[in-house]
Each structure stands twice: as structure tokens, then as C-alpha cells.
Amino acid sequence: MCRALTLSGSVRYPSFITTPCAASPAHALRLRGAFGLPVFFAETSAMFRGYAMTARRIRIFIDFWNFQLSWNSNMGPKQCDWRALPPTVVGSAASVLTAVGLTDPVDLEETLLYASVDPVSDARLRNWLTGTIERLPSWRVSIRERRSQPRHVHCRNCGAVTTACPTCDQPYRARLEKGVDAAIVTDMLSLAWQDAYDVAVLITSDADFVPAVERIQERGLKVINAGWSGKGHQLKAACWGSFDLDAVAGTMCR
């Protein structure tokens, strides 16, 4: 007879349920519920028969623009279903853990999204991030303002320096994305030192995160990189594990 064990998780996101069942394939991943939440099945064993196992706590960290631009490049006109992203990523991370024999259940604590916006031209994006994404279960959005600065263009041939377009006379301005990487690193380190997660899933291909990843893993925590194939080799090599989003992006389309 199967005995269901329900593990309580974050108050902001429904828990994942581990159900030992001899009739079910070992460690098979199934999706159910309104949000397609992962439900993990493990074969009955004396090790946990009748006892609740300790869940590995997962936090997802997403570099919005790195992910969105890569999505546009790889998926074309297809749009991402952001509601489906957390359960898909957690399921893939669980598969990475299971591949090396770490079969205890996983519990999503939080999905953290970091984005930079132009305070003038990105008003709709800001409203979507705060009014739609942040209201989804488990999501927390961190926004940094990206302010443009005057830009000078130097001609290597004649040495002339121009500050505006010769056709429309509009000034050249550089949009600087400041604070996003620093915010991700700060939260990853701070939450690691607070013992707020066991596994961090980092969604980016930026090699600038390598030092932070190495420092976190020195504490015995695991960082799994979710990137795109052909990109972010240095970060993937530094992380404890990784998986390619290309393989699961089809389940996150709407």
C-alpha cells in the first residue's frame, strides 16, 4: 500500500509531495495541478518507509535580461510562460541531483527575478514585472533603474569626436545596466550565509558570477546553472551541476 508523505514548504508556494509507491517507477517526475507543480515519486525503501524525508530547499535566481535576450534568440516569436518556469526549472534541477544518487525530495522556497529598467521608456515593463510577475506564487522581483549617460563617438581615421547623430542630431547616449549583477551576488551570498537554501539554481550565462559561485560552494552548498547550449561554458564549469534550457524551453512556451 502506498503511504503519502506531504512535506510543508514555503508559505508563498505550494510544497512538492513525495509519494513512495512500489508501483511507480523510481524517481519519475510527474506534473499535476493548476500550475503544473512537480510531484516526485520514489520507490519504497526501508530507508524512509513511514518517515518524512528532509527536503532540499531550492532558490532560483534569474538575470532577467540575460534570460530574455537568450530566449528571444533561441525561441524566436514564442513567448515564455513565466508561470511555468519555476516548476520546470525545479524539475530539471531535481533530475541533475538524481543523476548522482541524491534522491531526496526538493522544495522551492523562492524565485527571485532581477531586472534593470529605463525609468522613462520601460514603464510598461516595470508595471508588468511588479503587477503580474511579482504576484505569482514564489516570485520576488528586484528592479534597478538604468539611466543613460552621454556618449562620445571617436573616429579612428580622422580623430573627430561627435556627440550626436549627424542625420537627426539626436545625442548619443549609452544605457548602462548597473546594479543587477551586484544584487544577484549579494542575495546569493547573504541567503547562503543565512542558511536559507541548499541548492541555488542560477539562470544566466554571465561568467562574472563565477567567483560568487565558488565562494558559495565552499560552504558545502550546491549551485546549478540553467543556461543555453553553446553559451556560458565558464559558468557551467564552475557550478556543481548544470542543464541546458534548450531541452525544457518547449514546456515553458505559451
Side-chain angles (χ1 to χ4, degrees):
M1 177 179 294
C2 299
R3 301 181 60 186
L5 304 177
T6 303
L7 303 179
S8 60
S10 168
V11 296
R12 297 190 62 191
Y13 203 73
S15 298
F16 297 114
I17 305 170
T18 300
T19 307
C21 182
S24 302
H27 317 307
L29 172 63
R30 299 181 182 177
L31 301 179
R32 75 179 185 194
F35 299 104
L37 301 178
V39 180
F40 297 91
F41 292 82
E43 55 185 8
T44 305
S45 70
M47 185 173 135
F48 63 86
R49 188 178 294 117
Y51 299 93
M53 302 186 340
T54 301
R56 289 182 187 270
R57 299 161 300 158
I58 290 183
R59 269 185 160 83
I60 302 173
F61 299 84
I62 307 171
D63 181 341
F64 173 76
W65 282 113
N66 189 284
F67 172 80
Q68 185 63 67
L69 294 176
S70 295
W71 175 280
N72 295 344
S73 176
N74 286 273
M75 303 302 292
K78 297 179 181 178
Q79 294 186 349
C80 177
D81 182 355
W82 292 85
R83 185 186 297 268
L85 188 149
T88 300
V89 168
V90 169
S92 298
S95 296
V96 173
L97 294 166
T98 301
V100 293
L102 302 177
T103 59
D104 39 341
V106 294
D107 185 24
L108 176 62
E109 293 291 328
E110 197 171 27
T111 305
L112 301 102
L113 181 69
Y114 302 81
S116 64
V117 299
D118 185 290
V120 176
S121 61
D122 289 338
R124 289 183 61 188
L125 173 61
R126 177 190 284 272
N127 291 339
W128 175 75
L129 290 169
T130 58
T132 300
I133 298 301
E134 193 161 36
R135 296 179 64 181
L136 296 176
S138 90
W139 288 82
R140 177 159 62 89
V141 177
S142 177
I143 296 176
R144 297 290 187 276
E145 288 194 351
R146 184 179 64 247
R147 296 186 179 277
S148 59
Q149 295 183 356
R151 180 184 178 188
H152 302 277
V153 177
H154 177 265
C155 178
R156 294 182 179 180
N157 186 45
C158 68
V161 176
T162 56
T163 60
C165 174
T167 302
C168 65
D169 202 34
Q170 287 296 310
Y172 295 128
R173 304 191 70 84
R175 291 185 175 181
L176 303 178
E177 184 173 335
K178 290 184 175 293
V180 171
D181 289 2
I184 297 175
V185 168
T186 298
D187 283 353
M188 289 185 70
L189 290 170
S190 175
L191 291 168
W193 260 253
Q194 294 175 39
D195 189 32
Y197 62 83
D198 303 303
V199 179
V201 180
L202 178 58
I203 303 182
T204 185
S205 298
D206 195 338
D208 290 345
F209 291 99
V210 168
V213 166
E214 293 175 341
R215 187 73 182 95
I216 290 168
Q217 293 181 157
E218 288 174 359
R219 287 184 60 87
L221 303 177
K222 294 175 174 56
V223 180
I224 296 176
N225 177 232
W228 300 87
S229 60
K231 296 182 179 179
H233 301 293
Q234 193 173 351
L235 181 59
K236 291 176 182 177
C239 289
W240 180 86
S242 66
F243 63 89
D244 290 334
L245 290 168
D246 313 55
V248 295
T251 65
M252 297 189 293
C253 294
R254 63 179 177 85

